Amino acid sequence: MKIWMRYIGFFGAGIALFILLLSNSNNPEKTIQGQWKESVWEYEKVDKNDTTKSDFNSVSHFVKDVVGENLIIHKAESWIFKPDGTLILKGKNHSKEVNWSIKGRGNILEIKYDKSNCEHYNLTELSENKLVLNFDSDTHTRGIARLTFEKL
């Protein structure tokens, strides 16, 4: 009987420890909330040769427009993630409201801007003051773009 009580005690302590660890872990849906300012767009071209650098390069406004021409986010300079799943994308002369959610294992940001259109971004880094998103561009520019944001 005493041995069973020990096992039950250890099992209960294990569950309590597990719950404590879960409650203290970072929740990406809470961390991402707030206002983020776009700081850098970088681009890595897939088709490389010996003269092409292997790392990401900052891009001009023209390349940014070409790489992101079919993306709703490419003219947004400020992103405001609200707790209700609303994302406000603000640019110089426009503002757009869309929906956001975190998918996968907390590594995919899904942005829906109507019932049939959504975009997925790899959430490669998320901290209290830095957000990094990667996405694959379409076939005519073939590459990976990386967006870096700073929290305001």
Side-chain angles (χ1 to χ4, degrees):
M1 187 72 168
K2 286 184 178 183
I3 208 153
W4 283 105
M5 295 301 272
R6 279 190 189 155
Y7 285 130
I8 291 172
F10 285 131
F11 182 71
I15 289 176
L17 181 62
F18 180 73
I19 291 171
L20 181 66
L21 289 174
L22 279 180
S23 66
N24 287 333
S25 66
N26 290 338
N27 182 347
E29 290 180 346
K30 292 199 187 300
T31 306
I32 202 169
Q33 292 175 16
Q35 185 170 358
W36 297 85
K37 182 183 183 297
E38 177 185 301
S39 59
V40 179
W41 264 68
E42 297 168 301
Y43 179 69
E44 180 183 40
K45 193 153 177 58
V46 170
D47 300 322
K48 295 185 186 99
N49 56 33
D50 292 335
T51 62
T52 307
K53 284 185 170 182
S54 62
D55 58 349
F56 285 86
N57 296 312
S58 294
V59 297
S60 67
H61 289 289
F62 174 75
V63 174
K64 178 180 170 183
D65 288 343
V66 169
V67 170
E69 70 185 341
N70 295 321
L71 301 174
I72 194 157
I73 55 94
H74 89 280
K75 292 183 181 176
E77 296 168 355
S78 178
W79 296 27
I80 303 168
F81 290 89
K82 296 194 170 192
D84 66 355
T86 308
L87 170 61
I88 299 172
L89 301 168
K90 287 187 176 183
K92 288 181 183 172
N93 300 320
H94 71 283
S95 180
K96 180 128 180 122
E97 189 171 307
V98 296
N99 295 312
W100 70 274
S101 61
I102 303 289
K103 301 289 184 182
R105 296 183 184 125
N107 62 334
I108 304 293
L109 173 64
E110 180 181 80
I111 298 177
K112 291 184 181 180
Y113 49 99
D114 62 31
K115 292 184 181 186
S116 61
N117 294 318
C118 70
E119 298 169 353
H120 295 92
Y121 299 89
N122 292 324
L123 187 58
T124 54
E125 185 177 339
L126 178 61
S127 67
E128 291 299 322
N129 50 9
K130 186 175 182 183
L131 167 64
V132 178
L133 301 174
N134 286 353
F135 68 91
D136 294 325
S137 60
D138 64 7
T139 56
H140 76 277
T141 55
R142 286 186 28 110
I144 299 170
R146 177 171 42 197
L147 289 74
T148 304
F149 297 85
E150 296 173 354
K151 196 160 197 178
L152 297 177

